[in-house]
Amino acid sequence: MPLELYRPTRNDARLLADLQFGGYSDDPVSAMMYPVPANEQTKASLAKDIAKNWGKNPHEHALLVWDTELEKFIGWGHWMFEPEKSGEDWKVFKPMDCPPDWDAEFANTALRKNFEKKVEIMGSKPYVYLQTVVTPPQYRRRGAASALLTYIISWTAKHNLPLYLCATPSGFPVYEKHGFQEQSSFHIDVSKVTSEPRINKCMLIRAPSPSSPPIFPPLVTPMTTLEDLAEYLRVDDAAFGPSQLFRLAFGLPDPSASSTAPSLSSTATETSTPSPSYTERAQKELNQITTSLAPENKDDYARFYHKATDPGTGEILGGAKWYIAKNTDPGYKHRPFGPGPWPPGSNVELCEACFGAGNKFRETTMAGEKHVLCCVLVVKPGAQRRGVGGALLRAGLRVVDALDEGKGWRCWIDATPQGAGLYRRLGWQEVHSVTTDLEKWGGVGSDVHLGMVREAHARRGLDSDRAE
C-alpha cells in the first residue's frame, strides 16, 4: 500500500477538519469534549478556523498522507517550531473559545494540563512541538502514522532540535517504536464515558547532537527595507556568480576567482552599511516595490519580496521575488524583471537566445489570464539543503493560492534542471525547454533552462524520505 505525502493548502481546510474529528472519534476525551460523532456545524467551524489562520504562523508545518491503493487521504500531521522564549507571557495558558455544544470547562482543563506539562518539560529553549498525528479508525494499520513520523523526525533531526509530543494511550506504542521516550504523564478524568483510566504521556526525542547548536528552520518574512534588499543582492551575486551562464550573460563576478567578490556578512547587524553599489541597486529594487503599490498600478500588477532568515542570528539565507500580473489586456506589456529588457552591460545576443526565448513562450502561454511569476529564488551558498528554498516557495505560494478570494492563479517559474525537482514537488510541471550553446559566446558546453507552470492549488507532493 504505497503512501505519498502532500503539503496541504488553504483549500484543504475542510479535509483536515474531517480527518481531525474522524481520527479522534473513538477517543473518550473527545466524547467528553463534544458530541461524537462531530456534527456538521462543528466540522465547518474548525475548517473555517483553519482557513482563517492559514499561513499566519510561519513556523507551522503540515502534511497529508495519500493512500495510492484506496485513492484517499487517510491521515495528517501538524507540527511547529517553537523559538526560544523570553518574558513570562509564554507561560500563560490561553483558554480555547469552544462552540456552544462543547463542554468548555472539560476541554480547557485537558488543554491546560497538556500546556503546563509542555512548559514544565521544555521550558524556554527552542524545540519542535508535534501537535497532531491523526488517522481515522477505518484507515489505521496502513502505515500513515509511521510515514508522518519518519518525515517529521527527519525534519527535526536536520535542525538538531528536540521533538516533543503528548501521546494518547493508543498512540503511545507507535511513538515509542519511533524513539520517543516518556518524560512525564498526566491524568484526565473521563469516568463519565468509560471506566478505563486516561493517562496521557509526555514524550520526547532529544536533539541528535545536544552539544552542538541547533540549526533553526528558516523564518520567511516580507523584504521591504533598503538594508535587507542590499544584503539580498549580495546573496544573489554570490549564488549566481559561479554560474558560467550568468557570468557570460550579465558580467557577474566569479566569487571563486576574484578577490573583489561580494562579501557576505555573517549577521544582520553587519548589513546596516552596504557598499554604494549595493545601495544603488537596492534602491532600484525598493523603487520597483513602491511603484507597484501606487494607485494607478493596483489593477495592472503587484510585486512582493520575501527573505528567509536564521531566527537565531537574523542572517539572511535567501530571498524570492514575485510578480503578480493582473492586467490581461493584450496591449499591456508586463515587465516582471524591470523597466528594460536586460541590465546595463549585458550580452544582449546571449540574453535573447537563452532568456528571451523563454520569456516569449511564457508571454504566449500565460496571455489573456491573470497569473503570477516567481522571478527570482536564491539561497546563500552554505545555506543550501537547509530547506530555505522550499520555505521561500511555500510562503510565496500561500500568497498565490489566496488570490481571487482563495481560488488562486496559475504560476510560472524558470528553472534549471538541478532545481526542477523541488519545483515539481511543489506542483510545477515542465512546459518548455531552451538549450543554449555557450561555446558561441566563449563558454564551455551548453545550458538548459526550463519553463514550468503550476496550476492553482496544485497538490504539493513530497518524497517520503526527504526532509526539506
Side-chain angles (χ1 to χ4, degrees):
M1 60 190 83
L3 302 177
E4 298 175 351
L5 299 178
Y6 288 84
R7 293 197 182 275
T9 72
R10 186 192 303 268
N11 279 10
D12 293 315
R14 179 53 193 261
L15 170 62
L16 299 178
D18 288 345
L19 288 171
Q20 183 80 0
F21 284 115
Y24 289 110
S25 61
D26 58 347
D27 189 329
V29 171
S30 298
M32 291 283 295
M33 202 176 287
Y34 53 82
V36 175
N39 58 37
E40 175 62 26
Q41 182 180 358
T42 298
K43 293 179 182 178
S45 176
L46 178 59
K48 182 179 179 181
D49 286 344
I50 292 174
K52 178 182 177 182
N53 294 308
W54 195 264
K56 287 186 178 180
N57 182 351
H59 296 309
E60 284 192 280
H61 304 270
L63 285 178
L64 281 162
V65 183
W66 175 260
D67 189 311
T68 58
E69 183 179 312
L70 298 178
E71 296 189 342
K72 289 182 178 181
F73 285 104
I74 64 171
W76 81 293
H78 174 212
W79 73 102
M80 64 187 72
F81 166 59
E82 296 279 1
E84 187 164 0
K85 303 167 185 66
S86 59
E88 298 294 323
D89 286 351
W90 63 275
K91 300 179 183 179
V92 178
F93 173 72
K94 297 176 178 60
M96 179 176 69
D97 291 329
C98 298
D101 58 347
W102 284 41
D103 186 334
E105 182 179 359
F106 174 85
N108 281 304
T109 297
L111 292 172
R112 180 188 293 275
K113 287 184 176 183
N114 182 27
F115 175 83
E116 290 175 348
K117 279 294 183 182
K118 184 173 62 170
V119 170
E120 173 191 328
I121 295 168
M122 303 308 298
S124 63
K125 297 299 183 181
Y127 65 98
V128 175
Y129 176 41
L130 178 48
Q131 184 165 321
T132 300
V133 171
V134 64
T135 307
Q138 67 270 31
Y139 303 136
R140 290 176 190 161
R141 309 188 74 80
R142 299 185 67 85
S146 290
L148 288 166
L149 287 170
T150 299
Y151 182 96
I152 296 168
I153 290 169
S154 175
W155 186 93
T156 306
K158 186 182 73 168
H159 297 295
N160 196 30
L161 289 163
L163 177 59
Y164 173 85
L165 60 79
C166 173
T168 64
S170 61
F172 173 73
V174 179
Y175 299 129
E176 190 175 44
K177 187 177 83 170
H178 281 81
F180 286 88
Q181 296 179 342
E182 182 180 348
Q183 307 297 306
S184 185
S185 62
F186 59 92
H187 175 263
I188 300 176
D189 182 6
V190 292
S191 57
K192 289 183 179 179
V193 296
T194 180
S195 60
E196 292 289 327
R198 174 55 178 264
I199 305 295
N200 278 13
K201 297 187 177 184
C202 308
M203 307 188 73
L204 180 68
I205 292 181
R206 301 191 183 278
S209 302
S211 60
S212 302
I215 303 171
F216 295 110
L219 174 63
V220 179
T221 55
M223 180 165 49
T224 57
T225 70
L226 192 66
E227 292 78 13
D228 281 350
L229 288 165
E231 182 63 11
Y232 152 75
L233 290 168
R234 287 189 178 94
V235 172
D236 187 76
D237 283 356
F240 289 116
S243 163
Q244 177 184 208
L245 172 64
F246 277 72
R247 293 201 310 273
L248 293 172
F250 304 117
L252 291 183
D254 182 352
S256 65
S258 172
S259 61
T260 59
S263 174
L264 293 178
S265 62
S266 60
T267 66
T269 57
E270 294 176 3
T271 70
S272 57
T273 55
S275 65
S277 61
Y278 283 107
T279 300
E280 182 179 355
R281 289 170 58 192
Q283 186 61 59
K284 290 180 180 179
E285 298 281 352
L286 191 58
N287 290 344
Q288 288 189 20
I289 297 174
T290 304
T291 302
S292 74
L293 298 174
E296 61 269 24
N297 294 322
K298 68 181 181 66
D299 294 328
D300 295 330
Y301 71 96
R303 297 181 186 272
F304 65 95
Y305 289 42
H306 282 154
K307 62 179 178 179
T309 57
D310 185 318
T313 65
E315 175 188 6
I316 292 180
L317 305 176
K321 295 167 52 175
W322 302 76
Y323 181 92
I324 304 175
K326 302 178 182 180
N327 192 324
T328 59
D329 188 327
Y332 185 84
K333 178 67 174 177
H334 285 286
R335 299 190 181 277
F337 298 100
W342 310 113
S346 298
N347 184 325
V348 175
E349 186 181 8
L350 173 55
C351 287
E352 287 292 341
C354 182
F355 305 110
N359 288 344
K360 290 174 183 176
F361 186 88
R362 183 193 75 246
E363 291 169 359
T364 300
T365 302
M366 311 301 274
E369 68 171 292
K370 297 178 179 180
H371 64 278
V372 179
L373 169 65
C374 182
C375 304
V376 177
L377 174 72
V378 62
V379 178
K380 176 181 176 179
Q384 292 159 354
R385 304 192 69 79
R386 285 177 54 182
V388 177
L392 285 163
L393 288 169
R394 287 191 292 274
L397 291 175
R398 283 195 289 268
V399 176
V400 174
D401 286 340
L403 292 170
D404 200 8
E405 298 182 342
K407 295 178 182 177
W409 293 356
R410 290 211 298 170
C411 184
W412 179 283
I413 195 167
D414 293 309
T416 63
Q418 294 78 11
L422 171 61
Y423 304 140
R424 291 190 188 100
R425 284 191 292 276
L426 297 178
W428 274 280
Q429 298 295 324
E430 180 183 340
V431 295
H432 188 242
S433 176
V434 176
T435 301
T436 307
D437 181 4
L438 298 181
E439 295 185 3
K440 180 179 178 181
W441 289 277
V444 178
S446 60
D447 176 86
V448 178
H449 254 63
L450 308 176
M452 306 182 77
V453 173
R454 177 186 181 272
E455 301 298 325
H457 292 285
R459 293 214 178 271
R460 292 170 275 182
L462 300 171
D463 296 335
S464 60
D465 60 348
R466 178 184 173 89
E468 292 184 351

PDB file of all heavy atoms in Angstrom, residues 82-111:
ATOM      1  N   GLU A  82       9.112  25.890  17.853  1.00  0.00           N
ATOM      2  CA  GLU A  82       8.909  26.819  18.961  1.00  0.00           C
ATOM      3  C   GLU A  82      10.228  27.542  19.222  1.00  0.00           C
ATOM      4  O   GLU A  82      11.174  26.952  19.741  1.00  0.00           O
ATOM      5  CB  GLU A  82       8.466  26.067  20.218  1.00  0.00           C
ATOM      6  CG  GLU A  82       7.114  25.379  20.098  1.00  0.00           C
ATOM      7  CD  GLU A  82       5.956  26.349  20.316  1.00  0.00           C
ATOM      8  OE1 GLU A  82       6.219  27.547  20.531  1.00  0.00           O
ATOM      9  OE2 GLU A  82       4.800  25.903  20.273  1.00  0.00           O
ATOM     10  N   PRO A  83      10.334  28.833  18.858  1.00  0.00           N
ATOM     11  CA  PRO A  83      11.590  29.562  19.080  1.00  0.00           C
ATOM     12  C   PRO A  83      11.863  29.758  20.573  1.00  0.00           C
ATOM     13  O   PRO A  83      10.986  29.555  21.425  1.00  0.00           O
ATOM     14  CB  PRO A  83      11.342  30.913  18.387  1.00  0.00           C
ATOM     15  CG  PRO A  83      10.118  30.725  17.554  1.00  0.00           C
ATOM     16  CD  PRO A  83       9.319  29.659  18.213  1.00  0.00           C
ATOM     17  N   GLU A  84      13.082  30.167  20.883  1.00  0.00           N
ATOM     18  CA  GLU A  84      13.425  30.469  22.269  1.00  0.00           C
ATOM     19  C   GLU A  84      12.561  31.619  22.773  1.00  0.00           C
ATOM     20  O   GLU A  84      12.298  32.582  22.053  1.00  0.00           O
ATOM     21  CB  GLU A  84      14.905  30.828  22.390  1.00  0.00           C
ATOM     22  CG  GLU A  84      15.375  30.980  23.814  1.00  0.00           C
ATOM     23  CD  GLU A  84      16.889  30.947  23.953  1.00  0.00           C
ATOM     24  OE1 GLU A  84      17.577  30.798  22.917  1.00  0.00           O
ATOM     25  OE2 GLU A  84      17.371  31.041  25.094  1.00  0.00           O
ATOM     26  N   LYS A  85      12.125  31.526  24.030  1.00  0.00           N
ATOM     27  CA  LYS A  85      11.159  32.479  24.568  1.00  0.00           C
ATOM     28  C   LYS A  85      11.784  33.314  25.667  1.00  0.00           C
ATOM     29  O   LYS A  85      12.729  32.890  26.337  1.00  0.00           O
ATOM     30  CB  LYS A  85       9.932  31.732  25.099  1.00  0.00           C
ATOM     31  CG  LYS A  85       9.252  30.861  24.053  1.00  0.00           C
ATOM     32  CD  LYS A  85       8.255  29.924  24.684  1.00  0.00           C
ATOM     33  CE  LYS A  85       7.675  28.982  23.647  1.00  0.00           C
ATOM     34  NZ  LYS A  85       8.698  28.054  23.117  1.00  0.00           N
ATOM     35  N   SER A  86      11.240  34.506  25.866  1.00  0.00           N
ATOM     36  CA  SER A  86      11.671  35.386  26.945  1.00  0.00           C
ATOM     37  C   SER A  86      10.435  35.976  27.605  1.00  0.00           C
ATOM     38  O   SER A  86       9.322  35.880  27.072  1.00  0.00           O
ATOM     39  CB  SER A  86      12.573  36.499  26.407  1.00  0.00           C
ATOM     40  OG  SER A  86      11.889  37.275  25.435  1.00  0.00           O
ATOM     41  N   GLY A  87      10.619  36.598  28.758  1.00  0.00           N
ATOM     42  CA  GLY A  87       9.479  37.169  29.468  1.00  0.00           C
ATOM     43  C   GLY A  87       8.667  36.088  30.157  1.00  0.00           C
ATOM     44  O   GLY A  87       9.139  34.979  30.420  1.00  0.00           O
ATOM     45  N   GLU A  88       7.407  36.405  30.416  1.00  0.00           N
ATOM     46  CA  GLU A  88       6.545  35.489  31.153  1.00  0.00           C
ATOM     47  C   GLU A  88       5.266  35.113  30.399  1.00  0.00           C
ATOM     48  O   GLU A  88       4.587  34.160  30.779  1.00  0.00           O
ATOM     49  CB  GLU A  88       6.155  36.113  32.501  1.00  0.00           C
ATOM     50  CG  GLU A  88       7.330  36.391  33.428  1.00  0.00           C
ATOM     51  CD  GLU A  88       8.011  35.114  33.896  1.00  0.00           C
ATOM     52  OE1 GLU A  88       7.287  34.115  34.131  1.00  0.00           O
ATOM     53  OE2 GLU A  88       9.249  35.103  34.022  1.00  0.00           O
ATOM     54  N   ASP A  89       4.914  35.829  29.352  1.00  0.00           N
ATOM     55  CA  ASP A  89       3.643  35.592  28.660  1.00  0.00           C
ATOM     56  C   ASP A  89       3.528  34.179  28.119  1.00  0.00           C
ATOM     57  O   ASP A  89       2.431  33.603  28.084  1.00  0.00           O
ATOM     58  CB  ASP A  89       3.472  36.591  27.509  1.00  0.00           C
ATOM     59  CG  ASP A  89       3.120  37.985  28.013  1.00  0.00           C
ATOM     60  OD1 ASP A  89       2.845  38.109  29.222  1.00  0.00           O
ATOM     61  OD2 ASP A  89       3.139  38.930  27.202  1.00  0.00           O
ATOM     62  N   TRP A  90       4.634  33.587  27.681  1.00  0.00           N
ATOM     63  CA  TRP A  90       4.592  32.258  27.067  1.00  0.00           C
ATOM     64  C   TRP A  90       4.202  31.181  28.070  1.00  0.00           C
ATOM     65  O   TRP A  90       3.829  30.080  27.683  1.00  0.00           O
ATOM     66  CB  TRP A  90       5.932  31.922  26.436  1.00  0.00           C
ATOM     67  CG  TRP A  90       7.073  31.836  27.416  1.00  0.00           C
ATOM     68  CD1 TRP A  90       7.827  32.868  27.883  1.00  0.00           C
ATOM     69  CD2 TRP A  90       7.574  30.653  28.052  1.00  0.00           C
ATOM     70  NE1 TRP A  90       8.767  32.413  28.768  1.00  0.00           N
ATOM     71  CE2 TRP A  90       8.638  31.046  28.882  1.00  0.00           C
ATOM     72  CE3 TRP A  90       7.230  29.310  27.992  1.00  0.00           C
ATOM     73  CZ2 TRP A  90       9.361  30.157  29.656  1.00  0.00           C
ATOM     74  CZ3 TRP A  90       7.952  28.405  28.760  1.00  0.00           C
ATOM     75  CH2 TRP A  90       8.997  28.823  29.586  1.00  0.00           C
ATOM     76  N   LYS A  91       4.262  31.496  29.367  1.00  0.00           N
ATOM     77  CA  LYS A  91       3.897  30.530  30.399  1.00  0.00           C
ATOM     78  C   LYS A  91       2.407  30.570  30.737  1.00  0.00           C
ATOM     79  O   LYS A  91       1.928  29.763  31.534  1.00  0.00           O
ATOM     80  CB  LYS A  91       4.686  30.798  31.677  1.00  0.00           C
ATOM     81  CG  LYS A  91       6.192  30.701  31.530  1.00  0.00           C
ATOM     82  CD  LYS A  91       6.875  31.017  32.853  1.00  0.00           C
ATOM     83  CE  LYS A  91       8.372  30.997  32.727  1.00  0.00           C
ATOM     84  NZ  LYS A  91       9.033  31.337  34.013  1.00  0.00           N
ATOM     85  N   VAL A  92       1.676  31.513  30.138  1.00  0.00           N
ATOM     86  CA  VAL A  92       0.271  31.720  30.490  1.00  0.00           C
ATOM     87  C   VAL A  92      -0.625  30.942  29.524  1.00  0.00           C
ATOM     88  O   VAL A  92      -0.564  31.143  28.301  1.00  0.00           O
ATOM     89  CB  VAL A  92      -0.090  33.222  30.469  1.00  0.00           C
ATOM     90  CG1 VAL A  92      -1.563  33.426  30.793  1.00  0.00           C
ATOM     91  CG2 VAL A  92       0.794  33.987  31.442  1.00  0.00           C
ATOM     92  N   PHE A  93      -1.462  30.074  30.034  1.00  0.00           N
ATOM     93  CA  PHE A  93      -2.404  29.311  29.216  1.00  0.00           C
ATOM     94  C   PHE A  93      -3.538  30.206  28.734  1.00  0.00           C
ATOM     95  O   PHE A  93      -4.104  30.976  29.500  1.00  0.00           O
ATOM     96  CB  PHE A  93      -2.983  28.154  30.030  1.00  0.00           C
ATOM     97  CG  PHE A  93      -4.094  27.416  29.327  1.00  0.00           C
ATOM     98  CD1 PHE A  93      -3.818  26.596  28.242  1.00  0.00           C
ATOM     99  CD2 PHE A  93      -5.411  27.556  29.744  1.00  0.00           C
ATOM    100  CE1 PHE A  93      -4.829  25.907  27.586  1.00  0.00           C
ATOM    101  CE2 PHE A  93      -6.433  26.872  29.093  1.00  0.00           C
ATOM    102  CZ  PHE A  93      -6.140  26.051  28.005  1.00  0.00           C
ATOM    103  N   LYS A  94      -3.857  30.094  27.459  1.00  0.00           N
ATOM    104  CA  LYS A  94      -4.940  30.879  26.865  1.00  0.00           C
ATOM    105  C   LYS A  94      -6.092  29.933  26.523  1.00  0.00           C
ATOM    106  O   LYS A  94      -5.957  29.087  25.637  1.00  0.00           O
ATOM    107  CB  LYS A  94      -4.450  31.618  25.619  1.00  0.00           C
ATOM    108  CG  LYS A  94      -3.357  32.642  25.917  1.00  0.00           C
ATOM    109  CD  LYS A  94      -2.820  33.277  24.641  1.00  0.00           C
ATOM    110  CE  LYS A  94      -1.775  34.335  24.967  1.00  0.00           C
ATOM    111  NZ  LYS A  94      -0.615  33.787  25.699  1.00  0.00           N
ATOM    112  N   PRO A  95      -7.221  30.048  27.230  1.00  0.00           N
ATOM    113  CA  PRO A  95      -8.342  29.123  27.007  1.00  0.00           C
ATOM    114  C   PRO A  95      -8.869  29.188  25.579  1.00  0.00           C
ATOM    115  O   PRO A  95      -8.823  30.231  24.918  1.00  0.00           O
ATOM    116  CB  PRO A  95      -9.403  29.600  28.006  1.00  0.00           C
ATOM    117  CG  PRO A  95      -8.651  30.376  29.032  1.00  0.00           C
ATOM    118  CD  PRO A  95      -7.504  31.003  28.308  1.00  0.00           C
ATOM    119  N   MET A  96      -9.359  28.054  25.109  1.00  0.00           N
ATOM    120  CA  MET A  96      -9.942  27.958  23.774  1.00  0.00           C
ATOM    121  C   MET A  96     -11.393  28.433  23.806  1.00  0.00           C
ATOM    122  O   MET A  96     -12.126  28.146  24.760  1.00  0.00           O
ATOM    123  CB  MET A  96      -9.888  26.508  23.294  1.00  0.00           C
ATOM    124  CG  MET A  96     -10.497  26.293  21.919  1.00  0.00           C
ATOM    125  SD  MET A  96     -10.318  24.582  21.322  1.00  0.00           S
ATOM    126  CE  MET A  96     -11.412  23.702  22.433  1.00  0.00           C
ATOM    127  N   ASP A  97     -11.784  29.157  22.770  1.00  0.00           N
ATOM    128  CA  ASP A  97     -13.190  29.520  22.600  1.00  0.00           C
ATOM    129  C   ASP A  97     -13.922  28.321  22.001  1.00  0.00           C
ATOM    130  O   ASP A  97     -13.711  27.979  20.836  1.00  0.00           O
ATOM    131  CB  ASP A  97     -13.330  30.739  21.684  1.00  0.00           C
ATOM    132  CG  ASP A  97     -12.802  32.008  22.337  1.00  0.00           C
ATOM    133  OD1 ASP A  97     -12.884  32.109  23.571  1.00  0.00           O
ATOM    134  OD2 ASP A  97     -12.302  32.894  21.607  1.00  0.00           O
ATOM    135  N   CYS A  98     -14.771  27.687  22.777  1.00  0.00           N
ATOM    136  CA  CYS A  98     -15.425  26.451  22.345  1.00  0.00           C
ATOM    137  C   CYS A  98     -16.805  26.727  21.745  1.00  0.00           C
ATOM    138  O   CYS A  98     -17.491  27.671  22.160  1.00  0.00           O
ATOM    139  CB  CYS A  98     -15.589  25.513  23.528  1.00  0.00           C
ATOM    140  SG  CYS A  98     -14.026  24.994  24.257  1.00  0.00           S
ATOM    141  N   PRO A  99     -17.239  25.916  20.778  1.00  0.00           N
ATOM    142  CA  PRO A  99     -18.608  26.021  20.252  1.00  0.00           C
ATOM    143  C   PRO A  99     -19.629  25.798  21.370  1.00  0.00           C
ATOM    144  O   PRO A  99     -19.312  25.185  22.405  1.00  0.00           O
ATOM    145  CB  PRO A  99     -18.660  24.916  19.203  1.00  0.00           C
ATOM    146  CG  PRO A  99     -17.236  24.674  18.813  1.00  0.00           C
ATOM    147  CD  PRO A  99     -16.440  24.915  20.046  1.00  0.00           C
ATOM    148  N   PRO A 100     -20.855  26.241  21.152  1.00  0.00           N
ATOM    149  CA  PRO A 100     -21.879  26.168  22.212  1.00  0.00           C
ATOM    150  C   PRO A 100     -22.156  24.762  22.729  1.00  0.00           C
ATOM    151  O   PRO A 100     -22.476  24.587  23.903  1.00  0.00           O
ATOM    152  CB  PRO A 100     -23.122  26.766  21.535  1.00  0.00           C
ATOM    153  CG  PRO A 100     -22.593  27.624  20.436  1.00  0.00           C
ATOM    154  CD  PRO A 100     -21.347  26.947  19.959  1.00  0.00           C
ATOM    155  N   ASP A 101     -22.061  23.739  21.862  1.00  0.00           N
ATOM    156  CA  ASP A 101     -22.408  22.392  22.302  1.00  0.00           C
ATOM    157  C   ASP A 101     -21.217  21.627  22.892  1.00  0.00           C
ATOM    158  O   ASP A 101     -21.295  20.429  23.127  1.00  0.00           O
ATOM    159  CB  ASP A 101     -23.032  21.595  21.156  1.00  0.00           C
ATOM    160  CG  ASP A 101     -22.125  21.489  19.941  1.00  0.00           C
ATOM    161  OD1 ASP A 101     -21.126  22.238  19.887  1.00  0.00           O
ATOM    162  OD2 ASP A 101     -22.411  20.674  19.040  1.00  0.00           O
ATOM    163  N   TRP A 102     -20.110  22.306  23.109  1.00  0.00           N
ATOM    164  CA  TRP A 102     -18.942  21.687  23.726  1.00  0.00           C
ATOM    165  C   TRP A 102     -18.984  21.860  25.238  1.00  0.00           C
ATOM    166  O   TRP A 102     -19.583  22.800  25.764  1.00  0.00           O
ATOM    167  CB  TRP A 102     -17.651  22.314  23.201  1.00  0.00           C
ATOM    168  CG  TRP A 102     -17.260  21.887  21.821  1.00  0.00           C
ATOM    169  CD1 TRP A 102     -18.076  21.706  20.743  1.00  0.00           C
ATOM    170  CD2 TRP A 102     -15.939  21.608  21.369  1.00  0.00           C
ATOM    171  NE1 TRP A 102     -17.358  21.337  19.648  1.00  0.00           N
ATOM    172  CE2 TRP A 102     -16.023  21.270  19.995  1.00  0.00           C
ATOM    173  CE3 TRP A 102     -14.698  21.620  21.964  1.00  0.00           C
ATOM    174  CZ2 TRP A 102     -14.928  20.940  19.242  1.00  0.00           C
ATOM    175  CZ3 TRP A 102     -13.583  21.297  21.216  1.00  0.00           C
ATOM    176  CH2 TRP A 102     -13.693  20.947  19.858  1.00  0.00           C
ATOM    177  N   ASP A 103     -18.296  20.974  25.957  1.00  0.00           N
ATOM    178  CA  ASP A 103     -18.067  21.149  27.390  1.00  0.00           C
ATOM    179  C   ASP A 103     -16.783  21.955  27.531  1.00  0.00           C
ATOM    180  O   ASP A 103     -15.674  21.401  27.585  1.00  0.00           O
ATOM    181  CB  ASP A 103     -17.933  19.787  28.076  1.00  0.00           C
ATOM    182  CG  ASP A 103     -17.830  19.911  29.599  1.00  0.00           C
ATOM    183  OD1 ASP A 103     -17.379  20.964  30.079  1.00  0.00           O
ATOM    184  OD2 ASP A 103     -18.184  18.929  30.289  1.00  0.00           O
ATOM    185  N   ALA A 104     -16.930  23.273  27.562  1.00  0.00           N
ATOM    186  CA  ALA A 104     -15.771  24.170  27.548  1.00  0.00           C
ATOM    187  C   ALA A 104     -14.883  23.976  28.771  1.00  0.00           C
ATOM    188  O   ALA A 104     -13.650  24.039  28.678  1.00  0.00           O
ATOM    189  CB  ALA A 104     -16.232  25.622  27.446  1.00  0.00           C
ATOM    190  N   GLU A 105     -15.515  23.729  29.926  1.00  0.00           N
ATOM    191  CA  GLU A 105     -14.721  23.563  31.152  1.00  0.00           C
ATOM    192  C   GLU A 105     -13.829  22.329  31.061  1.00  0.00           C
ATOM    193  O   GLU A 105     -12.632  22.378  31.375  1.00  0.00           O
ATOM    194  CB  GLU A 105     -15.640  23.452  32.363  1.00  0.00           C
ATOM    195  CG  GLU A 105     -14.888  23.315  33.680  1.00  0.00           C
ATOM    196  CD  GLU A 105     -15.819  23.235  34.877  1.00  0.00           C
ATOM    197  OE1 GLU A 105     -17.052  23.308  34.693  1.00  0.00           O
ATOM    198  OE2 GLU A 105     -15.291  23.095  36.003  1.00  0.00           O
ATOM    199  N   PHE A 106     -14.397  21.214  30.597  1.00  0.00           N
ATOM    200  CA  PHE A 106     -13.598  19.997  30.451  1.00  0.00           C
ATOM    201  C   PHE A 106     -12.503  20.190  29.407  1.00  0.00           C
ATOM    202  O   PHE A 106     -11.341  19.817  29.618  1.00  0.00           O
ATOM    203  CB  PHE A 106     -14.484  18.819  30.060  1.00  0.00           C
ATOM    204  CG  PHE A 106     -13.695  17.574  29.750  1.00  0.00           C
ATOM    205  CD1 PHE A 106     -13.304  16.728  30.764  1.00  0.00           C
ATOM    206  CD2 PHE A 106     -13.324  17.274  28.435  1.00  0.00           C
ATOM    207  CE1 PHE A 106     -12.549  15.590  30.490  1.00  0.00           C
ATOM    208  CE2 PHE A 106     -12.584  16.142  28.157  1.00  0.00           C
ATOM    209  CZ  PHE A 106     -12.194  15.291  29.189  1.00  0.00           C
ATOM    210  N   ALA A 107     -12.868  20.765  28.247  1.00  0.00           N
ATOM    211  CA  ALA A 107     -11.907  20.944  27.158  1.00  0.00           C
ATOM    212  C   ALA A 107     -10.706  21.757  27.615  1.00  0.00           C
ATOM    213  O   ALA A 107      -9.547  21.375  27.383  1.00  0.00           O
ATOM    214  CB  ALA A 107     -12.592  21.613  25.969  1.00  0.00           C
ATOM    215  N   ASN A 108     -10.969  22.870  28.287  1.00  0.00           N
ATOM    216  CA  ASN A 108      -9.869  23.735  28.696  1.00  0.00           C
ATOM    217  C   ASN A 108      -9.087  23.168  29.880  1.00  0.00           C
ATOM    218  O   ASN A 108      -7.899  23.457  30.029  1.00  0.00           O
ATOM    219  CB  ASN A 108     -10.390  25.134  28.995  1.00  0.00           C
ATOM    220  CG  ASN A 108     -10.628  25.941  27.725  1.00  0.00           C
ATOM    221  OD1 ASN A 108      -9.726  26.110  26.922  1.00  0.00           O
ATOM    222  ND2 ASN A 108     -11.858  26.396  27.537  1.00  0.00           N
ATOM    223  N   THR A 109      -9.722  22.337  30.690  1.00  0.00           N
ATOM    224  CA  THR A 109      -8.976  21.651  31.745  1.00  0.00           C
ATOM    225  C   THR A 109      -7.958  20.689  31.142  1.00  0.00           C
ATOM    226  O   THR A 109      -6.790  20.638  31.557  1.00  0.00           O
ATOM    227  CB  THR A 109      -9.931  20.890  32.679  1.00  0.00           C
ATOM    228  OG1 THR A 109     -10.791  21.823  33.341  1.00  0.00           O
ATOM    229  CG2 THR A 109      -9.153  20.113  33.732  1.00  0.00           C
ATOM    230  N   ALA A 110      -8.395  19.907  30.161  1.00  0.00           N
ATOM    231  CA  ALA A 110      -7.492  18.970  29.496  1.00  0.00           C
ATOM    232  C   ALA A 110      -6.377  19.707  28.748  1.00  0.00           C
ATOM    233  O   ALA A 110      -5.199  19.319  28.825  1.00  0.00           O
ATOM    234  CB  ALA A 110      -8.273  18.081  28.536  1.00  0.00           C
ATOM    235  N   LEU A 111      -6.750  20.771  28.034  1.00  0.00           N
ATOM    236  CA  LEU A 111      -5.753  21.537  27.280  1.00  0.00           C
ATOM    237  C   LEU A 111      -4.756  22.218  28.218  1.00  0.00           C
ATOM    238  O   LEU A 111      -3.565  22.312  27.906  1.00  0.00           O
ATOM    239  CB  LEU A 111      -6.451  22.572  26.400  1.00  0.00           C
ATOM    240  CG  LEU A 111      -7.281  22.004  25.236  1.00  0.00           C
ATOM    241  CD1 LEU A 111      -8.082  23.111  24.561  1.00  0.00           C
ATOM    242  CD2 LEU A 111      -6.380  21.304  24.220  1.00  0.00           C
TER     243      LEU A 111
END
